[in-house]
Amino acid sequence: MNAARSLTLRSISKSYVAGQNVVDGIDLDVQPGEFVSFLGPSGSGKTTTLMMIAGFERPTAGEIGIAGRTIDAVEPYDRNIGMVFQNYALFPHMSAAQNVGFPLRMRRVPKADADRKVAAALAMIGLSEFAARKPAELSGGQQQRVALARALVFEPDLVLLDEPLGALDKTLREQMQIELKRIHRELGVTMIYVTHDQTEAMAMSDRIAVFSQGRIEQIGSPTEVYFTPRTSFVASFVGDSNLLRGRTLGDGVVDVECLGTIATGARDLPAGRDVSILIRPETIRIRPAATAPSPTGSTMRIEEVVNYGESYLVVGRKAGRDLRVRVPGIDMPPVARGDDCTIEWDAARVHVI
Amino acid sequence: MARSTVTLSLLIAILLAGPMFIVVPMSFSTAPSLQFPPPGFWLGYYRHFFSDPNWTGPVVNSFLIGGGTMVLAMLLGVPASFALVRHQFRFRALFRLLVLMPLIVPHIVMALGYYSYFGLLGLVQSMTGVILAHTCLSIPVVVLTVTSALVNFDRRLENAAANLGARPLTTFRLVTFPVLRPAFLVAALFAFIHSFDEAVIAIFISGRDSATLPRQMFNSFQMEADPAISAASSLLLAAVLAVIGMQLAARLVRARRPRHPA
Amino acid sequence: MSQAPALQIEAAPRAGRRRLSALMRGPFLLYLPASLFLTAFFLVPLALVVWMSVSEPTFGVANYTAFFASHYDLAVLGRTFRTAFIVTIASLVLAYPVAYVAARRGGAVSAFLLSIVALSFWTSFLVRTYAWMVILGARGPVVGLLVALGVSPPPRLLFTTFAATFAMAHMLVPFMVLALYAVMKRIDEVHMRAALSLGARPLRAFLTVYLPQSLPGVLNGATLVFITCLGFYVTPTLIGSPQDKMIAGRIGQEIEELLDFGAASATSMILLAAAVALFVLYDRLFGIEKMWR
């Protein structure tokens, strides 16, 4: 492992009022070149943690290290970390080129070199002709790209991004996500990305750290976090879910509310445990007409059918609970509101938390 | 919006501005007293205004006093604004009250106070005295303007500068000050004008050598209705028109610059 | 990789503050100069006035009792309040339509209105008083018009309380407009449209939706204009009636003609008390910051 550019957080905590931890014991190892997202709802501590890495907040406890050195005592202007702020924070009185050149100026890079790097950075984000424009003369998407170029031009070891795409509309946001991935790939720089949008985190990250109430509930690849969430919170926050409470009966069989006894792939779980069952809506199939319940199936009465074009969301009711099913548009069976239908799934796809 | 409302507002506006312009033809009038319409036209009063030291002296004084007040009020008021907006300290509420008090106390009361006080200090009828008094009056103006700008200032710009490697003083020099500069200029201008136009205190405490333009105008009103007043008034009116005209022009120019695409 | 155990770092102020350059060790260097200056050159002279009111020419509250026993002085006080009240109402009536149109119309009309208001606002009181001196003078256009209409002998307009009131109202309209405009600009257009869509006719919508929301601006402006008018010196002295003075003119008279500093101080204190009382009332109800923003 190249320790030269790794980031470590050890038992990081932060409180503003004694006894109330906004960030509560965060442990994290980020490998060089990784794209890690901090995902969570507002108030979960993800932005505060980011601010501590940047140096704008001091941890109440714990250590932050880059390349093996603790940086707690290092001022923000000496940390050599790139940062893209939520509202871009472009200097309004400087042109795009001057903004991008600012960090080079701070590092006393000779003018000729600086000009070259600024030109290259602007070219990388496709805004070479806009070099002389002030931020007020640029669109939101263009400003965001300038902010990114400014954070990258001095080749930092680490780039922090604080919900940078929040102010953009949907199409632009998706474009920028692809752009960011491309830049990440080309430059190989470590990136930490804060967002509350789980689709965004899924699309862009090598690993996702799911935050809740100041703690990291799970860190893992998007696949791990999506298909094998470790807590109910992660299960419900990332992606659409059907979460049911139940009790293990041994050998992978669980007695869950609403569906009765079902089979799961978790054969080594002892009996008598209280667990949560996760069945992702897209893993459920619908068949018209009701049949008898089975370990991998049930029935429900359809309450709503929502057509999203490429998929359908079918919300049904069984034993007082709502169940959600997603069906690809082309596979939609002929069912409608008020029908009773059969739902089926694979035992292997049922995840036990 | 109803046509009649708009017309009404325009009418009132014209009634508001109209009367002021009467000073212009008066300044060209040949009549020695307040006669309108003027019987004839000449430039005599302008010539009188620009050549009589009784008038040119006060004009110079007003500029000097205004300039002194502006500098002093800015030097005192800008740090005070930063203290009020960005820091917590024990006497903050009291300090804010102190800074705003000159706006509450009627000038005539302060005139009496200064008249006695400067008498004790030996500063009566001196430029210094007027500058000191005017500075007190201009500090709240500066503070209100600058605190308003500071409150609206995006601290994240300073965070960004720090993150990019700038130390605190560099951040202030390259980011905070340039962004706040328009507000500083406005505050300085307000401070200057507040002093330049101030009449009541100047009437009571500026002497013959340190007389300000407002004092001279006031005395002329009372004593002989010296028609040079009309010349002075027209010039002041023209100055205000010029500044407002420039502002409008600047806004028009800014509107022409390329804006970002929708 | 360091093996140090997790340190218990005490909560420290934001990193950026720790290494502020030696110049700014704490906020006191920022507020101390202004505090000292204002104390020395504002509070002390003010305190001097308070002192003189109870010490000139002898110790005691003689000046105050004399004031409240004097018909003349009480009349001055009453006249001042009455005039300030009339001026406030008049300027409100004139300013409201202007501010309303300027805030809602936009475009060239608003720009024009605001420019006119700015022009009035920035032209000194002396210039505007002079203009009224000409207009209302014995040889001015108003008298000329009245004579042409057959009113003979023409009434005396200058050096009357009427002239002072009229001119002051005219001069304070810009203040009122700006106070109203600041609040009106923040009233969301959407509310009026919602009211109209719900069936209210324009006048009703205005009275029930817009007017109440503009009330803070009305109160701001009214308080500001009223207090300014209370302490107005220049205009009443120049074109007001010399017999029927307002309180600021009375103080001036006590200083310059009567040379009675005790009386002048006491009268000043009474004026100050009125102004402060109004400000305190305003602050209690709305918060003093709202007055100028």
Side-chain angles (χ1 to χ4, degrees):
Chain A
M1 164 181 100
N2 178 10
R5 288 182 294 152
S6 62
L7 166 76
T8 6
L9 275 70
R10 285 270 165 279
S11 309
I12 294 291
S13 292
K14 175 75 182 171
S15 68
Y16 294 104
V17 176
Q20 284 176 15
N21 277 358
V22 172
V23 175
D24 200 8
I26 300 284
D27 284 293
L28 185 62
D29 279 296
V30 179
Q31 303 307 322
E34 257 200 301
F35 192 115
V36 173
S37 287
F38 287 1
L39 174 66
S42 7
S44 54
K46 55 192 197 299
T47 306
T48 313
T49 308
L50 196 79
M51 289 296 158
M52 286 194 278
I53 301 173
F56 295 117
E57 299 279 358
R58 287 286 232 88
T60 318
E63 291 184 337
I64 303 177
I66 292 190
R69 283 181 0 263
T70 32
I71 59 167
D72 299 304
V74 180
E75 293 291 339
Y77 39 84
D78 286 329
R79 289 198 184 193
N80 206 44
I81 297 176
M83 187 154 182
V84 181
F85 293 79
Q86 199 166 6
N87 69 335
Y88 323 134
L90 293 178
F91 305 131
H93 56 297
M94 298 185 191
S95 70
Q98 286 168 329
N99 265 283
V100 175
F102 188 86
L104 300 175
R105 192 171 160 192
M106 291 301 109
R107 289 159 176 78
R108 317 219 181 193
V109 173
K111 189 163 187 326
D113 290 331
D115 287 344
R116 203 178 13 94
K117 290 188 190 227
V118 168
L122 287 173
M124 176 183 69
I125 55 167
L127 287 177
S128 301
E129 314 106 57
F130 294 84
R133 291 232 188 147
K134 295 246 168 60
E137 297 159 2
L138 298 171
S139 73
Q142 291 168 333
Q143 287 181 29
Q144 204 269 1
R145 280 186 276 164
V146 173
L148 188 61
R150 185 176 70 175
L152 293 171
V153 74
F154 57 101
E155 289 158 45
D157 303 323
L158 174 63
V159 178
L160 308 173
L161 301 107
D162 184 10
E163 306 204 47
L165 306 182
L168 305 175
D169 63 63
K170 186 164 180 292
T171 344
L172 199 48
R173 212 178 321 153
E174 286 176 6
Q175 274 179 355
M176 283 307 306
Q177 285 166 6
I178 299 175
E179 269 295 296
L180 273 170
K181 272 307 278 180
R182 177 181 68 80
I183 291 174
H184 173 246
R185 226 178 15 245
E186 283 180 19
L187 296 179
V189 61
T190 318
M191 283 192 178
I192 298 190
Y193 190 92
V194 165
T195 179
H196 59 270
D197 182 345
Q198 42 99 358
T199 351
E200 198 165 74
M202 295 281 295
M204 306 176 65
S205 324
D206 293 326
R207 278 195 298 161
I208 304 178
V210 183
F211 277 72
S212 172
Q213 301 189 313
R215 298 211 171 87
I216 294 183
E217 300 245 329
Q218 183 172 1
I219 311 178
S221 69
T223 322
E224 283 167 17
V225 166
Y226 188 81
F227 287 111
T228 52
R230 233 184 288 136
T231 69
S232 308
F233 176 82
V234 177
S236 59
F237 194 80
V238 183
D240 205 356
S241 58
N242 289 297
L243 269 178
L244 304 164
R245 285 188 306 266
R247 194 154 243 241
T248 53
L249 297 174
D251 205 29
V253 181
V254 183
D255 180 21
V256 300
E257 54 174 339
C258 149
L259 296 178
T261 24
I262 61 172
T264 74
R267 292 190 191 275
D268 39 341
L269 270 184
R273 279 260 203 96
D274 283 322
V275 294
S276 289
I277 294 292
L278 168 68
I279 310 179
R280 292 284 185 202
E282 69 275 13
T283 62
I284 305 178
R285 294 177 298 279
I286 296 187
R287 272 191 306 155
T291 55
S294 74
T296 58
S298 183
T299 61
M300 72 177 187
R301 166 153 299 179
I302 297 180
E303 300 262 295
E304 278 306 331
V305 177
V306 185
N307 182 352
Y308 287 107
E310 89 278 359
S311 65
Y312 279 82
L313 170 67
V314 181
V315 183
R317 214 153 168 81
K318 165 82 180 178
R321 279 221 40 163
D322 279 342
L323 295 167
R324 298 164 71 88
V325 182
R326 285 190 191 264
V327 183
I330 46 176
D331 293 340
M332 186 61 182
V335 292
R337 261 195 93 220
D339 290 352
D340 285 317
C341 67
T342 301
I343 47 177
E344 289 178 340
W345 58 83
D346 292 329
R349 299 230 132 169
V350 177
H351 178 64
V352 183
I353 296 170
Chain B
M1 180 174 305
R3 207 89 195 271
S4 54
T5 321
V6 178
T7 320
L8 177 65
S9 68
L10 289 170
L11 204 63
I12 296 177
I14 293 175
L15 284 175
L16 202 59
M20 290 190 296
F21 285 94
I22 204 166
V23 301
V24 179
M26 286 303 290
S27 63
F28 296 108
S29 158
T30 50
S33 64
L34 301 170
Q35 190 180 336
F36 190 88
F41 295 97
W42 67 327
L43 285 175
Y45 295 127
Y46 282 100
R47 257 176 275 156
H48 177 60
F49 178 79
F50 284 111
S51 59
D52 185 354
N54 278 330
W55 285 100
T56 54
V59 170
V60 170
N61 288 342
S62 283
F63 271 99
L64 289 175
I65 291 172
T69 304
M70 176 179 79
V71 169
L72 204 50
M74 288 296 283
L75 283 176
L76 294 170
V78 170
S81 307
F82 273 84
L84 282 171
V85 174
R86 292 197 172 182
H87 296 269
Q88 294 282 3
F89 52 100
R90 219 176 336 149
F91 303 111
R92 199 167 82 151
L94 215 59
F95 180 62
R96 176 184 273 133
L97 182 65
L98 176 63
V99 163
L100 293 179
M101 265 179 79
L103 283 175
I104 301 175
V105 178
H107 286 200
I108 186 72
V109 176
M110 289 317 298
L112 173 58
Y114 285 126
Y115 192 72
S116 317
Y117 187 53
F118 287 156
L120 293 172
L121 293 179
L123 281 174
V124 206
Q125 312 206 336
S126 70
M127 296 247 283
T128 318
V130 182
I131 291 179
L132 292 173
H134 279 185
T135 304
C136 290
L137 298 181
S138 287
I139 286 178
V141 171
V142 168
V143 168
L144 284 174
T145 312
V146 175
T147 50
S148 171
L150 271 177
V151 161
N152 290 329
F153 180 82
D154 187 358
R155 298 293 301 263
R156 276 180 286 201
L157 289 174
E158 295 180 334
N159 286 355
N163 163 262
L164 294 165
R167 301 178 161 269
L169 272 182
T170 315
T171 304
F172 183 83
R173 188 169 54 92
L174 293 179
V175 176
T176 317
F177 183 78
V179 173
L180 288 175
R181 192 172 37 215
F184 287 159
L185 288 174
V186 168
L189 185 66
F190 280 13
F192 178 85
I193 294 178
H194 209 69
S195 163
F196 195 88
D197 279 346
E198 202 282 323
V200 184
I201 291 178
I203 288 167
F204 283 92
I205 70 169
S206 72
R208 221 160 327 159
D209 295 322
S210 57
T212 62
L213 184 61
R215 177 192 151 103
Q216 177 61 24
M217 287 174 75
F218 183 84
N219 288 340
S220 298
F221 274 129
Q222 287 207 305
M223 293 192 282
E224 331 100 44
D226 182 345
I229 298 170
S230 52
S233 301
S234 305
L235 289 169
L236 286 173
L237 188 59
V240 176
L241 266 172
V243 170
I244 294 183
M246 280 198 292
Q247 260 201 331
L248 274 176
R251 208 166 295 172
L252 283 171
V253 166
R254 226 181 299 150
R256 291 266 173 83
R257 251 205 274 141
R259 285 269 140 183
H260 64 80
Chain C
M1 186 70 172
S2 117
Q3 295 292 323
L7 302 165
Q8 278 297 330
I9 307 167
E10 277 171 42
R14 284 181 44 185
R17 261 224 242 153
R18 279 190 318 133
R19 298 243 207 93
L20 281 177
S21 82
L23 264 174
M24 297 192 233
R25 215 160 313 139
F28 68 86
L29 275 171
L30 296 176
Y31 65 77
L32 214 54
S35 306
L36 293 174
F37 189 90
L38 284 169
T39 307
F41 296 111
F42 180 78
L43 287 182
V44 173
L46 191 56
L48 196 53
V49 176
V50 179
W51 170 251
M52 287 196 294
S53 72
V54 290
S55 68
E56 290 275 336
T58 53
F59 285 99
V61 291
N63 292 314
Y64 290 100
T65 45
F67 183 93
F68 287 109
S70 154
H71 263 274
Y72 182 78
D73 283 319
L74 289 175
V76 165
L77 193 61
R79 188 178 306 124
T80 309
F81 271 88
R82 209 168 43 240
T83 310
F85 187 74
I86 297 173
V87 166
T88 305
I89 301 289
S91 60
L92 179 61
V93 167
L94 289 172
Y96 200 95
V98 177
Y100 180 76
V101 173
R104 287 194 70 200
R105 192 64 152 69
V109 172
S110 286
F112 176 74
L113 289 174
L114 290 172
S115 300
I116 297 279
V117 170
L119 185 63
S120 279
F121 186 76
W122 289 112
T123 309
S124 85
F125 284 156
L126 282 168
V127 173
R128 289 190 270 170
T129 306
Y130 176 67
W132 282 108
M133 229 179 187
V134 173
I135 295 174
L136 297 174
R139 294 206 243 169
V142 174
V143 169
L145 185 64
L146 289 175
V147 166
L149 289 176
V151 181
S152 184
R156 198 217 198 157
L157 297 172
L158 259 194
F159 309 119
T160 61
T161 311
F162 163 76
T165 312
F166 195 84
M168 280 194 287
H170 181 262
M171 289 194 272
L172 291 174
V173 166
F175 284 72
M176 186 69 86
V177 170
L178 290 176
L180 289 170
Y181 180 80
V183 170
M184 285 177 171
K185 206 69 181 105
R186 298 199 185 157
I187 300 178
D188 201 332
E189 258 319 294
V190 156
H191 295 312
M192 283 291 270
R193 267 184 243 149
L196 291 170
S197 78
L198 293 165
R201 312 197 70 108
L203 184 61
R204 197 80 191 286
F206 171 77
L207 288 173
T208 53
V209 171
Y210 196 88
L211 191 60
Q213 290 192 329
S214 69
L215 232 36
V218 170
L219 290 164
N220 264 0
T223 313
L224 196 63
V225 167
F226 192 89
I227 294 177
T228 308
C229 196
L230 279 183
F232 223 121
Y233 176 79
V234 167
T235 306
T237 309
L238 287 178
I239 65 175
S241 159
Q243 293 84 29
D244 301 329
K245 289 197 192 298
M246 290 185 37
I247 197 167
R250 173 70 176 148
I251 297 172
Q253 182 184 40
E254 283 165 340
I255 298 176
E256 296 194 305
E257 290 175 35
L258 303 177
L259 298 176
D260 188 348
F261 279 43
S265 303
T267 317
S268 297
M269 283 297 106
I270 292 168
L271 170 60
L272 184 60
V276 167
L278 281 164
F279 266 101
V280 167
L281 185 67
Y282 187 88
D283 186 38
R284 280 294 140 82
L285 294 174
F286 308 109
I288 204 98
E289 289 304 305
K290 298 240 178 80
M291 175 143 307
W292 291 285
R293 267 323 123 203

